[in-house]
Amino acid sequence: MINQHRWIILLPIFLVIVFLGFASPAEAIRLGPLEAVESEQENLEEKANQYWLDFCGDLCPDADSARQIGVPERVIDFWDFRPGEAPDNYVPVYNVRFDVKNHLADPVEGATVELENWGSEQTAANGRVVFEDVEYGTYNYSVVKDDHLSVHGELKVFRDPREEILLLPTFDLTLEILDGEDSPLVAAEIELQDFDTAVTDGSGQAIFHAVPVGEHNYTINKSGFFEKSGELQVDGPLTLQFVLSHFRLYFSTREDGLLNFSFEVEPGYEQSISWHVYGADGTLREIYTDTNFIQYDFADEVGEKQFYAQFNRPEAVVGLQGSANSIVDLPDEIGQLSKLEELYLSGNQIAQLPPGLGDLKQLRVLNLLDNNLTAIPPSLGQLESLVLLNLMDNELSSLPRQLRDLSALEHLELNANQLEEIPGWIDHLQALRSLLLRSNEIDEIPSSVGNLGQLEILNLMRNNLQEAPAFLGNLSSLQELNLRHNHIAQIPSTLGNLQNLTRLRLESNELTALPPELGQLENLYELDIHVNKIEQLPSELGSLTALEIISAGHNKITDLPSEISNWENIRHISLYENDLEEWGIDVVNWQQLEELELDHNNLSSSVVDEIFASLEDLINSTIADVNLQHNNRPGLAGDSSINNLQTAGWTIRHD
């Protein structure tokens, strides 16, 4: 390394070079990008020394550290390294460039760019500002311009950084809210993404100021009306008009005896509905007209929790909301709601369903989550339009055969019941996309499951499965397979056929090995195999280039295949509580790494050094959390690789 005396001697030489024309003044002061140093036309010997002064400085106490931050070998050859003899008080400086553009990629002129401790400048016609001779370090910056969305951030000054800024113009947005008769709606609440909620005034309008160009999500609410939500595009001053229709309300049967009941009706029927409320004994309690919401006080009728409603226009009702009540029974007359599309009755105490439910030919969603059901009426097989059936958290031990006729069913949710088997007729449900059977008592998967060609999600977590059958490899549309917390000892090689699989979860089984065919899962995003007895990962897993998450902790893995170096999208690697003794992994492709868990293994001091040295290859591409606690190495506080990683923002956990 250049010592203090040589640096003093060389400085005049560099100034002479500037004036003699061996390099332009800008080049003599700062070389700029690495490519300029590598150019065959440059005087490498002179430039190499200047490159050390401007680029490397005390980051390069020796040749090895220079190589680790990317300095070319032929530049290093010119350096006379003398550890500990860097120029006194040397601080590298760089040119910091900001390029400010709008959403059309056009330069923004006249924007004020302020860099902490270095003042402010306005962008030129090309949208550019350059701060010269900025010292190495991290600085806050801001970019502002009238009628534009300000940008604030933090910049690490290192290697002549160039920061591209997207500065979005802003405009006023006016929303006008009307009812079905084109009258202004006062006090409607409007939520616009990243803005405070606005309330419409007497003219039904609300104005949002300084809305940046682009797409924005919105939601409009007013008591007694349908919620309206969506996405709007702002590309200039804009006035939009929305019409709200009367909407679904909510009902509950509270301990104080007050009954609230709500329903949703087709547009146009809001003011033409009348309906009757009956008590459990069939006595008429109240008649309501021209309203979608009622309150009735049952306080004087102690313990009364049952009711039913009869509508004068049942064909108009399309949605009922009755979740989280104390309902124990439903009247069979519910089948009169011939146009009902959605029925939500979760969180009640319903133990039996009326056969009349089967008359709801247009019903698409039936949610009976968290009730006391022990059986399902066969009439539910008549729900020819049903798309989602949620029966989770009940007490079902079997399903009626008639459910096989639900030809439109896409989602069957049966988690947390008492089912001992999957019915053999399940393959009649050819539209099925998700089958959720977590936390039951199933000990075998029938072959008919292998015929569900549209199935995308299969969850059999927390059952009594002893085997994962080979025919699971026939599920060509499967994207998620969850077999966690079972007793499976072997995974079939046919799972390698599942080319659409993105998540494979095999945690807490009795696996000792994985089939190499899993390396064919080219779209696999997550692989969870932790808490098993696996001793080695097949080298074929290195072909999983889409893999982002692997959880393989609490196994018996002793070494890793070098092929996993190919995981170019990997973000999270968990290998804690294994028997790892070696590393030998080239991590240069792990540019997206965010977390690496290697704690509680048998890694020696030299292997830990190897790991941290290899991770320095990623220092300029990512920031990660690394855990190497509880291995066979004492404290690492003095390790130069760790210091470099921590300086770059990495979190290092060690003993």
Side-chain angles (χ1 to χ4, degrees), residues 63-134:
D64 286 341
S65 60
R67 292 186 185 97
Q68 289 171 6
I69 68 169
V71 178
E73 195 68 35
R74 57 181 178 173
V75 174
I76 293 174
D77 289 341
F78 288 111
W79 290 354
D80 181 17
F81 285 99
R82 297 178 185 175
E85 297 184 8
D88 291 339
N89 303 318
Y90 173 71
V91 178
V93 295
Y94 306 95
N95 287 343
V96 180
R97 187 171 111 186
F98 289 86
D99 290 315
V100 183
K101 298 180 180 180
N102 62 20
H103 61 295
L104 300 175
D106 295 329
V108 177
E109 183 179 3
T112 300
V113 181
E114 182 174 356
L115 185 63
E116 182 183 8
N117 298 333
W118 296 92
S120 61
E121 299 285 347
Q122 284 199 334
T123 55
N126 61 0
R128 182 171 299 167
V129 162
V130 177
F131 293 87
E132 295 184 347
D133 297 333
V134 179

Side-chain angles (χ1 to χ4, degrees), residues 436-452:
L436 309 184
L437 289 159
R438 173 181 54 81
S439 299
N440 279 279
E441 300 172 14
I442 299 166
D443 57 15
E444 185 179 4
I445 305 175
S447 60
S448 53
V449 170
N451 299 326
L452 296 172

Side-chain angles (χ1 to χ4, degrees), residues 255-257 285 298-305:
E255 292 299 326
D256 60 6
R285 306 301 174 86
F298 283 101
D300 295 334
E301 304 172 37
V302 178
E304 178 112 43
K305 292 297 178 185

